[in-house]
Amino acid sequence: MQQQHRQPELVEGSLPVFVFPTELIFYADDQTSHKQVLTLYNPYEFALKFKVLCTAPNKYTVVDSTGAVKPQCCVDIVIRHRDVRSCHYGVYDKFRLQVSEQSQRKALGRKEVTATLRPSASQEPPSPRPQDDERRIKELADSEFFEQTVLHTESRPAAGGPSLLTVLLGLVCMVALMLPTLGEQESTVPLYLHLSVNKKLVAAYVLGLLTMVILRT
């Protein structure tokens, strides 16, 4: 009975994929809509791994574009529109969610979700003509999908050591801490180079922040 239950699921491309919603609509004048959530459900008795592809990966940021879903659980996939410009109004893009078993490389199922950017939620898009619908359907059917770049590789530049500005600012803070405090009498340093306690505290605070930045690079 178990083999009969799992046999159709092992056929490539035949496994139903459950995603909500099936359409993403972003509004240029509503910044809260620039972040959308896709929910992927796994009603099966085995774990699934997933991958998110897109026809226009440069326009979107997908948090966790690959991952896994436990049996009878769901996972939220955050999608942000990062290129909100008028030239993209009304353009239809597509996301494809491919799922497979943990031990399999072939895609057992896939689901496509359309995404579009509109100027405003208060402006209803004009009713498309039948020939426009046919052209859009054909364009979407012929679309080529690309893998999404992992989020942390986009938001964090490659480590290449601290910048010159960071090093110079750190040296300035160190010199400031070495200068005499305002009020010290026995010092050969000119009076205009004497710093108050508050200025030295600021320099110490900035130096601490720079040290954390340098250690992370």
Side-chain angles (χ1 to χ4, degrees), residues 113-164:
V113 177
T114 60
T116 183
L117 175 66
R118 296 179 182 175
S120 174
S122 60
Q123 298 180 11
E124 288 295 330
S127 301
R129 296 173 298 178
Q131 55 267 34
D132 293 335
D133 277 340
E134 294 177 2
R135 187 177 69 254
R136 181 169 66 86
I137 293 173
K138 185 179 185 302
E139 290 176 352
L140 291 177
D142 297 337
S143 298
E144 184 177 0
F145 288 86
F146 303 93
E147 292 192 15
Q148 288 287 150
T149 306
V150 181
L151 176 62
H152 67 263
T153 58
E154 296 177 346
S155 58
R156 184 175 179 179
S163 65
L164 180 60

Side-chain angles (χ1 to χ4, degrees), residues 172-174 176-177 195 198-208:
V172 171
C173 292
M174 292 177 63
L177 292 174
L195 300 180
N198 290 337
K199 290 181 179 179
K200 286 199 170 187
L201 288 175
V202 172
Y205 177 74
V206 173
L207 183 60

Side-chain angles (χ1 to χ4, degrees), residues 40-138:
L40 174 63
Y41 299 90
N42 178 13
Y44 305 105
E45 300 295 332
F46 52 91
L48 292 174
K49 60 181 181 181
F50 68 87
K51 177 187 293 186
V52 181
L53 307 175
C54 183
T55 56
N58 294 330
K59 292 166 59 176
Y60 304 92
T61 295
V62 179
V63 180
D64 297 329
S65 58
T66 60
V69 194
K70 296 179 180 179
Q72 298 180 351
C73 292
C74 64
V75 64
D76 289 335
I77 304 169
V78 179
I79 298 178
R80 293 186 178 92
H81 202 305
R82 60 180 186 179
D83 193 4
V84 181
R85 292 183 294 167
S86 58
C87 59
H88 298 314
Y89 290 171
V91 177
Y92 284 85
D93 303 314
K94 281 203 303 184
F95 290 92
R96 174 180 289 174
L97 282 84
Q98 294 183 173
V99 300
S100 59
E101 277 193 296
Q102 292 280 16
S103 58
Q104 300 288 332
R105 298 187 61 181
K106 61 183 180 181
L108 298 180
R110 59 178 60 91
K111 182 74 172 182
E112 294 179 356
V113 177
T114 60
T116 183
L117 175 66
R118 296 179 182 175
S120 174
S122 60
Q123 298 180 11
E124 288 295 330
S127 301
R129 296 173 298 178
Q131 55 267 34
D132 293 335
D133 277 340
E134 294 177 2
R135 187 177 69 254
R136 181 169 66 86
I137 293 173
K138 185 179 185 302

Side-chain angles (χ1 to χ4, degrees), residues 162 166 208-217:
T166 302
L209 294 178
L210 293 175
T211 303
M212 294 177 59
V213 172
I214 293 174
L215 292 176
R216 289 184 177 182
T217 56

